[in-house]
Amino acid sequence: MSINQEEELLRRLQSQFGDLNVGDMIGVEGSSNVVADDDSESSIEEPSPEELRAWQEAQFARGKLKLETKQLIADSTGNVHKSALQRETWIKVKATAELDSPSSFFPNSAIDGDLQLVGDVHPMLQQLVEGDPEVLGTKWTALFSSEGGDGLSFHNLLEKIRFYDGPTIMLFGGIPSPSKCLDESDDCRVSLGFYTLDSFQESSEYHGSDDSCFLFALDYQNNTVKFIRPKSRSQQQQTSPNRGTRKYMYCNSSLQQQTKKGANNNCGIRIGGNVSQPRLYISESLEECRTLEYDTLFEDGDLLLGKGKQSLNYFDIDCIEVFGVGGEAWINDALKKRSKAKQIHDAREVRVSIVHLYEFVCSI
């Protein structure tokens, strides 16, 4: 029904209700001037049943759209950026990631002639987006790239993810650890990663409790992504009935422990499981990292896709990429918070160094 047809039908309806403003009753914008004169009431043709039905269907569709929008906004009680993101992307048929820099994991040109790219998007990147389309189907901003100038360093990685208060996706590439391999010919590459809405906190305790996180493995042979998501509450109760709040993430460094008393040796990044037996373990040296095929927090599954059998699921990392995701507003806000938090942290470290220097001079 065109705008002119709707206005004409509204004028006819108005003639049936006298002084009542039909436009105000049904919430039609710009309808306050559509009021029929008493003198013309008898000369206006009443709407036909077909016209009434078409008008009712149009009003129903309009009301449904408004109701769905209001309900979507009312249900968005989480992060303010994700709420805004939902309102922007809920009508999209299929979200697509937009990388702001080249990725070693998702080349934008086909090396293999059989690889079918979706536009310029690698098929596994598109599959990965489907893990959380609202957040991953947006702009990706590189926070860290070992091959893009940041170097292959755990501490450089920590500097980029620490204080970043936004969703991230981490990708690790490498080979089965030669020091652990029972078969020296086992040189298959592995690619895996972790996605979370929670921020990494440098601590000797597990943190993060958002169920939107997941682990994943990239299968380049079949161009597929294997997702390993958190178990449901009922599944976790069966495997660990006495467990309280679920915590997924652990991030600690030896440099941080040097400033604390009672420090332990549990350094690196750990995802799932516990400190002694994490589901995914990333060491500070980036060598002899390890995955397990099951734990109490995540679904069962092999993140190395069978390529780590000869190395007891140990692998050495030679490539790391970390992206901030969720769209420009969320990423820019997280980058600003990271910068401010880093300034506060560095200023505190300077004060501590001055105090230690003063104490040393006084002790001489």
Side-chain angles (χ1 to χ4, degrees):
M1 181 180 293
S2 68
I3 295 177
N4 291 336
Q5 289 175 325
E6 185 175 357
E7 290 179 351
E8 175 61 26
L9 182 56
L10 186 61
R11 189 179 299 276
R12 294 183 187 179
L13 290 169
Q14 182 64 60
S15 68
Q16 308 300 315
F17 288 88
D19 295 333
L20 292 177
N21 191 323
V22 175
D24 290 342
M25 292 170 59
I26 64 176
V28 177
E29 297 178 359
S31 61
S32 58
N33 295 327
V34 184
V35 180
D37 296 331
D38 292 339
D39 295 340
S40 62
E41 180 177 349
S42 59
S43 64
I44 296 180
E45 181 184 354
E46 292 186 8
S48 66
E50 292 76 14
E51 289 176 324
L52 280 173
R53 188 178 301 110
W55 175 80
Q56 290 171 346
E57 291 176 353
Q59 297 307 313
F60 176 78
R62 177 182 293 170
K64 183 179 179 182
L65 179 61
K66 289 183 178 179
L67 181 62
E68 289 177 347
T69 302
K70 289 180 180 179
Q71 185 63 43
L72 180 68
I73 295 173
D75 292 343
S76 300
T77 57
N79 186 288
V80 63
H81 292 291
K82 187 172 185 181
S83 299
L85 186 70
Q86 287 173 326
R87 293 196 293 273
E88 292 175 1
T89 63
W90 69 289
I91 60 173
K92 287 186 178 180
V93 176
K94 193 170 187 179
T96 303
E98 299 177 11
L99 276 63
D100 71 343
S101 60
S103 169
S104 300
F105 293 90
F106 308 110
N108 59 7
S109 61
I111 299 176
D112 185 347
D114 296 331
L115 179 61
Q116 298 296 320
L117 299 179
V118 182
D120 289 333
V121 180
H122 194 285
M124 283 194 292
L125 175 57
Q126 185 61 55
Q127 290 180 52
L128 194 54
V129 166
E130 294 170 5
D132 191 348
E134 292 172 350
V135 179
L136 294 174
T138 59
K139 179 180 179 180
W140 290 27
T141 295
L143 301 179
F144 179 91
S145 175
S146 60
E147 297 186 358
D150 293 316
L152 191 63
S153 165
F154 177 86
H155 296 290
N156 289 351
L157 168 65
L158 191 60
E159 280 296 305
K160 295 300 178 71
I161 63 175
R162 184 174 55 180
F163 307 130
Y164 183 83
D165 187 18
T168 54
I169 186 162
M170 311 179 72
L171 299 113
F172 304 100
I175 59 173
S177 298
S179 60
K180 298 289 185 179
C181 278
L182 303 177
D183 182 359
E184 294 183 359
S185 63
D186 189 3
D187 58 354
C188 300
R189 288 198 59 78
V190 298
S191 298
L192 62 157
F194 175 62
Y195 162 73
T196 180
L197 292 180
D198 286 307
S199 58
F200 281 89
Q201 303 171 13
E202 198 166 2
S203 170
S204 59
E205 302 290 337
Y206 265 77
H207 63 278
S209 58
D210 187 90
D211 288 358
S212 295
C213 70
F214 57 78
L215 292 159
F216 61 90
L218 303 179
D219 183 355
Y220 288 93
Q221 183 175 356
N222 299 307
N223 286 317
T224 58
V225 178
K226 179 177 183 178
F227 293 95
I228 297 182
R229 298 183 180 275
K231 293 179 180 178
S232 65
R233 301 277 177 174
S234 58
Q235 288 177 313
Q236 288 198 12
Q237 286 297 319
Q238 294 175 4
T239 57
S240 184
N242 297 322
R243 188 170 183 81
T245 304
R246 304 190 293 182
K247 303 294 184 182
Y248 299 93
M249 306 159 59
Y250 177 100
C251 181
N252 206 359
S253 71
S254 55
L255 293 178
Q256 177 72 7
Q257 291 192 17
Q258 290 175 6
T259 62
K260 295 183 178 181
K261 296 180 179 180
N264 55 53
N265 294 320
N266 295 319
C267 303
I269 291 176
R270 290 167 162 80
I271 307 298
N274 52 53
V275 173
S276 59
Q277 290 185 313
R279 180 62 177 272
L280 172 61
Y281 166 57
I282 307 298
S283 68
E284 281 191 302
S285 66
L286 303 179
E287 297 178 347
E288 297 185 6
C289 305
R290 195 185 190 193
T291 70
L292 300 178
E293 296 188 15
Y294 60 87
D295 71 316
T296 59
L297 296 178
F298 288 90
E299 298 170 346
D300 296 351
D302 182 8
L303 283 167
L304 301 186
L305 304 177
K307 299 176 182 178
K309 297 299 182 182
Q310 295 297 319
S311 63
L312 305 177
N313 282 354
Y314 283 92
F315 63 100
D316 293 354
I317 293 175
D318 59 16
C319 182
I320 303 176
E321 292 179 0
V322 182
F323 291 91
V325 293
E328 291 188 16
W330 203 341
I331 293 171
N332 290 338
D333 185 52
L335 288 173
K336 290 178 182 178
K337 290 182 178 179
R338 183 184 70 174
S339 178
K340 184 176 181 179
K342 190 176 185 304
Q343 290 177 1
I344 296 174
H345 176 269
D346 292 346
R348 185 182 297 115
E349 291 294 311
V350 170
R351 289 196 296 269
V352 171
S353 299
I354 292 174
V355 170
H356 288 171
L357 178 60
Y358 176 78
E359 292 175 346
F360 174 75
V361 171
C362 291
S363 64
I364 296 177

